[in-house]
Amino acid sequence: MQYRQEYAEPETEFIAAQSPSEPTTEAPPKRRRRWRKVVLITFVVLALLTGSGMVAGGLYFRSINSGIERVDAFGNVPEAERPQVAEKAKGAMNILILGSDTRDPENTGGSRTDTIILAHLPKDRSSAQLISIPRDTWVPVPRSKEGRGGRDAKINASFAWGGIPLMVQTVEKFTGVRIDHVTMVDFAGFKEIVDALGGIDITVEKGFTSTHSLNPDSRRTFKAGTQTFDGAAALDYARERYAFADGDFSRIKHQQQVIKAILDKAASGGTLANPGKLNSFVRATANAVAVDESMSLVDLAMELRHLRSGQLGFYTCPTKGTGMMGTESVVLADVAKARTLFDAVRRDSVDEITANQPSS
């Protein structure tokens, strides 16, 4: 897996929305890594494993940590424009989690990150709050070092225009929350991760058929009820949005289901007691992740060693639904409610976060 600091131009829907001052006659994009869809919070998974009797294997985990790919997430982020940390929030941590899916059959151009999660770890590390930001949320995007952006657009356009640093700037500008670390997961390795666990249990609320499946005919039918998914089925379940009237909002709920199911299975005795299964799972997870240059998964795992899925809260950025901006269908943020939610994050006020929006 290679995360290169090269960025393709945004796809057609972004180009069509350019203002007259931004030319749209640039050369076609080269073949590059392209970011898509679902995210796995690998750092929490590793924390569960490290905290569940694996501390004695510290050298093993440090060897995994040293081999994880690093990305320059903050190199072009102007320090003077970044949010300040509230005094009472010092010691808390905010991690921007971005997902990719290089196996996605829809992935035909442009560099995107369609899954965006702001993970807040309070300073006492007793819980974690994961706030999903819909990829089509209409926000102000700062101008990149290369001169792209500088206007309102879908939030995931920022990655296409300026890579990780511009995404960090955009999320910080929108939320008012300072990002401490960035984690990126390539879901080309997702199947192996879930399969290494022996599958995960998911309760499907309402049956549906995916027409963008990994199956040869691109179709997979999901029946209502609790069932065990292998890696391919879990990925199909978590990436599907076209089968639902509310599109990306259903996909976000399914992503959150999958994250919780992975954490539950990773913490189970069957994984921890089987050295072969444990090794396969940790290796598959580490191979699918890239982190910023200063992040230590081992140190974070030690801090989160007592965390379990029941201590995770899943939330979605408040919105007013969808609408049109020119020719683009977008998600309209509820600015007042979002400001209240993210201000609670900025101040490390977990009680206010949970009071402002019920966990998904």
Side-chain angles (χ1 to χ4, degrees):
M1 178 185 69
Q2 294 183 347
Y3 291 91
R4 295 178 292 179
Q5 293 293 79
E6 303 175 11
Y7 311 115
E9 291 300 312
E11 292 182 14
T12 305
E13 64 183 87
F14 293 129
I15 295 174
Q18 295 276 1
S19 64
S21 61
E22 294 187 66
T24 62
T25 57
E26 298 179 49
K30 295 180 179 179
R31 182 176 180 85
R32 301 220 173 104
R33 286 282 190 186
R34 295 181 285 258
W35 308 98
R36 301 292 284 180
K37 308 257 194 291
V38 190
V39 66
L40 165 67
I41 44 174
T42 305
F43 66 92
V44 176
V45 174
L46 291 179
L48 287 168
L49 295 173
T50 304
S52 302
M54 295 303 298
V55 177
L59 290 178
Y60 170 73
F61 283 97
R62 291 191 183 281
S63 71
I64 295 291
N65 185 68
S66 64
I68 290 174
E69 189 167 350
R70 301 285 167 171
V71 294
D72 182 5
F74 302 99
N76 293 327
V77 181
E79 181 61 35
E81 299 177 13
R82 303 191 67 193
Q84 298 300 307
V85 178
E87 185 65 31
K88 66 176 296 185
K90 290 183 177 178
M93 184 181 296
N94 299 301
I95 302 175
L96 181 62
I97 307 173
L98 306 173
S100 74
D101 183 1
T102 54
R103 287 180 181 172
D104 184 2
E106 296 177 76
N107 195 359
T108 57
S111 186
R112 303 279 193 98
T113 173
D114 281 357
T115 296
I116 304 163
I117 296 177
L118 178 60
H120 176 70
L121 307 178
K123 57 187 173 184
D124 64 6
R125 301 296 191 265
S126 63
S127 61
Q129 293 74 47
L130 287 78
I131 304 171
S132 296
I133 302 175
R135 64 172 198 158
D136 292 339
T137 304
W138 193 252
V139 300
V141 177
R143 189 170 295 278
S144 72
K145 183 180 179 181
E146 296 78 17
R148 302 187 184 98
R151 66 177 184 86
D152 289 354
K154 294 180 182 182
I155 194 168
N156 70 345
S158 60
F159 189 88
W161 286 335
I164 304 170
L166 189 59
M167 175 61 82
V168 169
Q169 281 184 267
T170 302
V171 172
E172 287 190 338
K173 182 179 180 67
F174 173 59
T175 64
V177 174
R178 187 181 180 94
I179 303 301
D180 299 299
H181 293 291
V182 175
T183 298
M184 304 193 70
V185 178
D186 182 353
F187 268 71
F190 180 77
K191 179 180 181 297
E192 287 73 21
I193 292 171
V194 176
D195 287 341
L197 288 171
I200 56 174
D201 294 330
I202 294 289
T203 299
V204 179
E205 183 177 1
K206 185 177 181 180
F208 65 93
T209 297
S210 169
T211 57
H212 297 78
S213 168
L214 295 180
N215 286 334
D217 64 355
S218 298
R219 296 178 64 85
R220 188 189 299 272
T221 297
F222 294 92
K223 297 181 179 179
T226 301
Q227 51 219 271
T228 299
F229 290 168
D230 62 10
L235 179 54
D236 286 346
Y237 180 75
R239 68 147 59 121
E240 179 60 41
R241 64 188 176 97
Y242 294 105
F244 311 106
D246 60 355
D248 208 41
F249 294 100
S250 284
R251 182 169 62 177
I252 285 172
K253 291 178 183 178
H254 291 173
Q255 291 169 3
Q256 293 170 346
Q257 273 188 282
V258 169
I259 289 170
K260 185 177 185 300
I262 289 173
L263 294 177
D264 286 339
K265 192 64 176 287
S268 71
T271 300
L272 298 173
N274 186 321
K277 182 180 290 188
L278 177 62
N279 180 69
S280 296
F281 172 64
V282 174
R283 290 287 179 185
T285 303
N287 287 340
V289 70
V291 299
D292 67 83
E293 294 173 335
S294 66
M295 186 176 187
S296 169
L297 286 174
V298 171
D299 291 344
L300 186 59
M302 292 300 296
E303 291 184 49
L304 301 179
R305 61 187 178 274
H306 301 302
L307 203 62
R308 294 296 180 268
S309 65
Q311 295 160 296
L312 302 183
F314 294 95
Y315 308 88
T316 302
C317 176
T319 75
K320 293 182 177 180
T322 59
M324 296 297 296
M325 289 292 178
T327 60
E328 297 186 80
S329 175
V330 305
V331 172
L332 302 171
D334 187 322
V335 176
K337 291 183 179 179
R339 184 181 295 117
T340 299
L341 173 63
F342 289 118
D343 184 61
V345 174
R346 187 183 65 82
R347 293 182 289 104
D348 191 27
S349 179
V350 174
D351 289 343
E352 290 183 53
I353 297 172
T354 57
N356 273 313
Q357 191 184 55
S359 185
S360 300

